[in-house]
Amino acid sequence: MVQETLLTYLQRQGVISPADAVKVQLERSRSPKNEETIIREMDLADELSIVKAKSALFNIPFVDLIENDVPESVIAEVPIDNLKKYKVVPFERGDNYVKLAMYDPFDVQATQALQSKYPPNTKQIIYITTEDGLNFVLDRRMGDVMSSEVTQALEDAEVPIQEINEDPSLIDSIDLKNAPVARIVNSIMQYAVISKTSDIHVEPMETRLRIRFRIHGVMTERLSLPKVLAPAVVSRIKIMSNLKIDEKRVPQDGRFQIKVKNAKVDIRVSVMPMIFGEKVVMRLLESDTSGITLESTGMRGNAYKIFLDALTVTNGIVLVTGPTGSGKTRTLACSLIKVNDPGVNIISLENPVEIRVPGVTQVQINPDVGLTFANGLRSVLRQDPDIVMVGEIRDQETAELAIQASLTGHLVLSTLHTNSAAAAIPRLLDMGMEPFLLASTMRVLVAQRLPRKICPRCIKAVPATPAEVKAINESLSGIKNFDLINYTTQVINAKKAKGEEGSSVLKAPEIGPDGQPIIYVYKGTGCDRCGGSGYSGRIGIFEVLDVTDKISRMIMGNVTAKDIENEARENGMITMTQDGFLKLLEGITTIEEVLRVSKE
């Protein structure tokens, strides 16, 4: 009997359509890639469906590590470094056996390496699991390791954990080169990288040293240390950042790089004196571009098409607007990745360089030596660029140079701090730009925000309240030719057909007993995977304003931002709030998150 393949199995299960199966077979015939790789690249099946299919095909039992509690005593037998390296989690232990959950159950090297961690006669029983399940357990284990390492470091430093010792002379006995303080700082850094933290806040308070992490845009306190350790911890960070340890009266800025496993992470440091000591904020700068795509930002539909078209022209300005932390830098980095080509010379001016894009000449702004955005842009234009990315338009000089660059045959990408896409025009006019220059150079104006996504593991559908239904209808009624019921039904059915995680709980609108439609909204109830928050990750909501000929004429007439926005909406522009409500109806985010970040 011929062994069934992964493709035929998924097709038989209804996960992959016959038409998509033909596409996979065609790609397989002209590519050295295997079926699984092609299916994943084409996004034809989610990871859970693929792993369960492999379980059935190879007769290897499947285990869901997110739903099953892994005893601490079992996972603690093997060092966390080994578990992450081989992508394996021991989840059950007996007298003469151990059950191993593996992402690749055929990894002989992994099973041999783990065999040495157990007595010789221990039998290994192999299970297959998802990468999400493995990461869930290993990330939680990393958090436990951080807590235990910090506790041990405190004990080594002979600092009481529960009782706060206010004796300042005790700090003299703590050697910065010794293990305790260094281990505390290293553990904090390692946990931050594993948990995908964007910022670490080290805050001296009246009676303690508070450590907070910004995860998915929300601040969370994860660690509290004795107040007496504050000067030593801050000094350790200063040493790593090459800052002055004895200067405690003025703010200082620095940076350093750490390596966690094979990933290098740049960390930008800001030290600020406050009443209880010095507060340190460390921003982790993303340098790995693998998996970063323009599609993954959340931009889609006609907005995505308009934005992509603007990236293909040879001149003009594309502006991305929004407050700090709204994802502007990531969107621009994704744009550079999209247009990056050996035949195109791309140069960026950034402060700091947060996301490194291979093949792009990225310049770090340094005002201390006179390398400002304006001065840098002058020099960049002598480097024969095709595309120029300016991290931010902050002043009149930079704005003028950006406009001149676009007029001389360059495509300029940049950011601006405004609350909406249309508000970028009045902001530039306030900087002293001439209306006729803006009208002739502006191609696309984008505004964005980053609401949190609902955790797909604990998502729950609930009927929208009358107030929520009213808000949704009032917002979405502004979209031309939009039918809420048909749109929601089609999107939900498509998600279920693809077997997307969490799609089983999605509900299309229904007609209630009173003849009125019942609209469903969604929330996360909280689980171990999302730390009880109900949210996991973030997604962009966008408004993309296409600067048409009519809008160009309106700019020359000095009209208001509201007039420009109304014209754009007549042309089919979807606002950020509308985009957020569409993602709400699709079970991607919550109404609270949309209203929190958009605040229209």
Side-chain angles (χ1 to χ4, degrees):
M1 181 178 178
V2 179
Q3 174 71 40
E4 190 174 17
T5 67
L6 179 66
L7 177 61
T8 54
Y9 181 89
L10 290 172
Q11 185 180 352
R12 183 166 57 82
Q13 294 294 316
V15 177
I16 294 179
S17 68
D20 286 334
V22 172
K23 293 179 183 177
V24 174
Q25 290 170 339
L26 180 61
E27 180 64 23
R28 180 74 181 88
S29 66
R30 60 189 183 192
S31 166
K33 300 173 185 175
N34 58 35
E35 284 184 350
E36 181 179 347
T37 301
I38 296 170
I39 291 169
R40 289 180 183 275
E41 288 179 351
M42 290 184 173
D43 196 24
L44 299 178
D46 62 288
E47 186 190 12
L48 185 60
S49 298
I50 293 174
V51 171
K52 284 188 173 181
K54 291 167 70 176
S55 171
L57 288 171
F58 302 118
N59 198 27
I60 299 172
F62 168 78
V63 61
D64 189 336
L65 291 178
I66 298 176
E67 295 293 336
N68 289 272
D69 291 330
V70 179
E72 172 68 21
S73 57
V74 176
I75 195 172
E77 285 189 90
V78 182
I80 184 69
D81 292 348
N82 291 44
L83 298 180
K84 293 186 77 67
K85 177 180 179 181
Y86 296 112
K87 293 186 178 181
V88 58
V89 166
F91 65 94
E92 186 178 317
R93 185 80 161 88
D95 293 336
N96 59 354
Y97 73 90
V98 60
K99 291 184 177 180
L100 302 176
M102 303 182 67
Y103 180 66
D104 181 4
F106 302 107
D107 189 344
V108 179
Q109 185 181 3
T111 54
Q112 289 177 346
L114 263 67
Q115 187 66 60
S116 63
K117 306 297 179 183
Y118 298 103
N121 295 328
T122 303
K123 181 182 178 183
Q124 293 180 338
I125 304 174
I126 307 299
Y127 284 71
I128 190 171
T129 191
T130 61
E131 193 167 19
D132 283 346
L134 284 168
N135 290 336
F136 166 71
V137 175
L138 295 176
D139 289 352
R140 187 174 61 182
R141 172 66 181 156
M142 184 60 71
D144 296 338
V145 169
M146 179 192 72
S147 300
S148 63
E149 286 183 352
V150 168
T151 301
Q152 183 61 47
L154 292 173
E155 292 173 353
D156 291 348
E158 298 181 352
V159 176
I161 299 171
Q162 300 297 333
E163 180 182 350
I164 305 298
N165 192 328
E166 294 295 340
D167 182 6
S169 64
L170 182 60
I171 195 65
D172 296 334
S173 65
I174 301 177
D175 183 2
L176 291 181
K177 296 179 181 178
N178 206 356
V181 172
R183 287 216 311 270
I184 290 173
V185 174
N186 289 346
S187 297
I188 291 170
M189 301 287 183
Q190 191 172 25
Y191 176 75
V193 174
I194 296 298
S195 62
K196 302 188 185 305
T197 294
S198 61
D199 300 87
I200 308 169
H201 291 242
V202 180
E203 303 167 310
M205 304 184 75
E206 190 172 5
T207 59
R208 63 193 178 102
L209 178 65
R210 181 172 69 173
I211 312 294
R212 292 194 292 172
F213 299 83
R214 187 179 293 279
I215 303 173
H216 303 319
V218 178
M219 294 282 282
T220 307
E221 183 176 339
R222 290 289 169 89
L223 195 62
S224 182
L225 300 174
K227 174 67 180 295
V228 71
L229 278 182
V233 170
V234 172
S235 295
R236 172 63 181 168
I237 296 171
K238 282 183 174 181
I239 290 172
M240 297 172 72
S241 311
N242 198 26
L243 300 177
K244 298 177 182 178
I245 346 178
D246 56 343
E247 180 56 82
K248 302 181 180 181
R249 301 166 300 172
V250 297
Q252 296 188 70
D253 295 317
R255 63 187 303 152
F256 62 94
Q257 188 178 80
I258 62 173
K259 187 175 182 180
V260 178
K261 304 300 178 214
N262 294 322
K264 291 182 179 179
V265 180
D266 291 321
I267 298 180
R268 187 176 64 189
V269 179
S270 173
V271 182
M272 175 73 71
M274 54 178 289
I275 57 173
F276 297 123
E278 292 178 283
K279 173 175 177 175
V280 180
V281 176
M282 292 175 281
R283 169 156 288 189
L284 281 67
L285 305 178
E286 187 174 15
S287 57
D288 182 16
T289 59
S290 61
I292 296 180
T293 63
L294 192 56
E295 294 81 3
S296 67
T297 61
M299 193 185 298
R300 59 190 187 173
N302 192 49
Y304 176 80
K305 181 181 181 301
I306 291 171
F307 187 75
L308 199 59
D309 288 344
L311 296 179
T312 60
V313 298
T314 57
N315 59 74
I317 298 177
V318 174
L319 279 183
V320 181
T321 71
T324 301
S326 59
K328 302 186 299 296
T329 301
R330 187 184 180 93
T331 298
L332 286 182
C334 292
S335 303
L336 295 184
I337 293 171
K338 192 75 175 177
V339 299
N340 194 10
D341 183 87
V344 180
N345 183 21
I346 305 175
I347 303 179
S348 73
L349 296 166
E350 304 171 66
N351 186 24
V353 176
E354 296 189 21
I355 302 175
R356 297 182 181 177
V357 183
V360 173
T361 303
Q362 295 177 278
V363 180
Q364 171 76 49
I365 293 300
N366 187 354
D368 293 339
V369 297
L371 182 55
T372 62
F373 280 114
N375 292 337
L377 189 51
R378 285 193 188 92
S379 299
V380 160
L381 294 178
R382 291 191 282 270
Q383 291 280 315
D384 186 32
D386 297 298
I387 299 174
V388 179
M389 197 270 270
V390 182
E392 183 182 348
I393 294 179
R394 296 179 178 177
D395 50 43
Q396 179 178 355
E397 188 178 12
T398 306
E400 287 175 347
L401 288 168
I403 288 175
Q404 291 302 320
S406 68
L407 289 172
T408 53
H410 304 89
L411 177 63
V412 180
L413 312 180
S414 191
T415 69
L416 198 64
H417 286 272
T418 61
N419 291 325
S420 67
I425 298 300
R427 177 80 179 91
L428 291 169
L429 291 173
D430 287 343
M431 286 184 182
M433 299 302 101
E434 294 290 346
F436 73 91
L437 290 177
L438 296 181
S440 60
T441 56
M442 291 296 154
R443 293 287 180 262
V444 164
L445 305 172
V446 180
Q448 70 174 95
R449 300 290 188 276
L450 281 179
R452 289 179 291 174
K453 293 194 297 184
I454 301 172
C455 173
R457 179 65 61 175
C458 61
I459 186 173
K460 177 184 177 182
V462 293
T465 64
E468 290 172 340
V469 172
K470 182 181 178 183
I472 293 170
N473 282 326
E474 285 181 353
S475 179
L476 298 183
S477 62
I479 302 178
K480 282 189 169 184
N481 303 319
F482 179 76
D483 188 309
L484 186 150
I485 295 178
N486 286 341
Y487 173 85
T488 309
T489 302
Q490 289 177 11
V491 170
I492 289 175
N493 288 340
K495 283 176 172 281
K496 289 185 175 182
K498 291 181 67 175
E500 292 186 12
E501 187 178 14
S503 62
S504 59
V505 305
L506 301 182
K507 292 185 177 182
E510 302 171 355
I511 302 299
D514 58 355
Q516 296 298 316
I518 300 174
I519 300 173
Y520 290 93
V521 294
Y522 304 88
K523 65 178 182 179
T525 57
C527 63
D528 289 340
R529 179 176 179 179
C530 60
S533 68
Y535 296 99
S536 177
R538 291 189 290 175
I539 189 76
I541 56 174
F542 294 85
E543 60 184 36
V544 178
L545 192 157
D546 186 14
V547 182
T548 61
D549 291 340
K550 184 173 181 180
I551 291 179
S552 294
R553 291 193 295 273
M554 292 175 70
I555 293 173
M556 294 181 65
N558 285 321
V559 298
T560 65
K562 194 63 182 175
D563 291 333
I564 294 174
E565 181 177 313
N566 289 338
E567 173 60 25
R569 293 179 69 170
E570 281 295 315
N571 293 336
M573 183 187 80
I574 294 176
T575 67
M576 280 186 296
T577 302
Q578 289 172 339
D579 190 29
F581 281 149
L582 291 177
K583 289 182 169 75
L584 157 72
L585 295 172
E586 299 168 27
I588 297 174
T589 188
T590 64
I591 193 167
E592 292 81 10
E593 280 296 294
V594 174
L595 296 177
R596 177 180 70 86
V597 299
S598 59
K599 293 181 181 178
E600 283 192 350

